Amino acid sequence: MKARLNVLGRKHNIIGVIVQDETTGESKHFYDSVAFENVSVEQKVVLGECIESQSFEKKIEDLKQLLEDSKDHLKVLGEQIIREVVGCGGLPFGESILPNLAKEYKEHSDYIDGVSCSLDVLKSDNYA
């Protein structure tokens, strides 16, 4: 994964960074190991693996939690459907809430698929 800087919607590859040591105040230079081959070993890094974005990581964690909660809800809906089918004693279901539960189950399943796809897009090279 390439490290990128997004400035006003334009993406630029990051090939080097200057950081300041918190304790000494000394500036240190680091260069992308792919773009720069003739720098010292201690200055070569894979920037795409080193640069962290706390807000990006938070969004991914939030989506993962949403996905987990949604799967739990889907499981509860499935259990409700089973109880309703067993409680009706057979077909037709008459005044049963089964059609509404089945519709909610389907919609929530589609919702989970959408959240899962969103998570995949966030993790892809184009957005990370």
Side-chain angles (χ1 to χ4, degrees):
M1 173 173 65
K2 291 184 179 180
R4 294 193 179 134
L5 179 66
N6 188 329
V7 179
L8 300 173
R10 295 189 67 197
K11 294 182 181 183
H12 305 277
N13 290 335
I14 300 173
I15 56 172
V17 294
I18 301 172
V19 296
Q20 185 176 30
D21 189 299
E22 291 179 8
T23 56
T24 64
E26 176 187 0
S27 292
K28 295 182 181 182
H29 298 256
F30 294 97
Y31 301 95
D32 188 67
S33 60
V34 175
F36 290 90
E37 296 178 7
N38 299 328
V39 295
S40 66
V41 173
E42 57 271 355
Q43 289 181 307
K44 281 186 190 181
V45 293
V46 180
L47 288 174
E49 295 175 3
C50 297
I51 295 177
E52 297 178 357
S53 171
Q54 292 174 344
S55 63
F56 181 73
E57 295 299 324
K58 174 83 170 102
K59 287 177 186 176
I60 288 179
E61 288 306 314
D62 289 348
L63 276 175
K64 284 181 180 177
Q65 185 60 50
L66 181 62
L67 194 56
E68 200 60 40
D69 294 344
S70 294
K71 287 179 181 178
D72 291 343
H73 181 67
L74 197 62
K75 184 177 178 182
V76 169
L77 282 174
E79 291 168 357
Q80 279 183 301
I81 290 171
I82 292 169
R83 280 195 303 275
E84 190 68 23
V85 169
V86 170
C88 287
L91 293 172
F93 296 108
E95 298 296 319
S96 168
I97 62 167
L98 188 60
N100 292 337
L101 285 173
K103 181 180 177 192
E104 184 178 351
Y105 186 92
K106 170 73 171 106
E107 289 172 351
H108 204 73
S109 179
D110 292 344
Y111 173 78
I112 288 174
D113 290 343
V115 172
S116 181
C117 287
S118 298
L119 191 56
D120 290 343
V121 167
L122 277 176
K123 290 180 175 180
S124 74
D125 261 352
N126 294 332
Y127 293 92

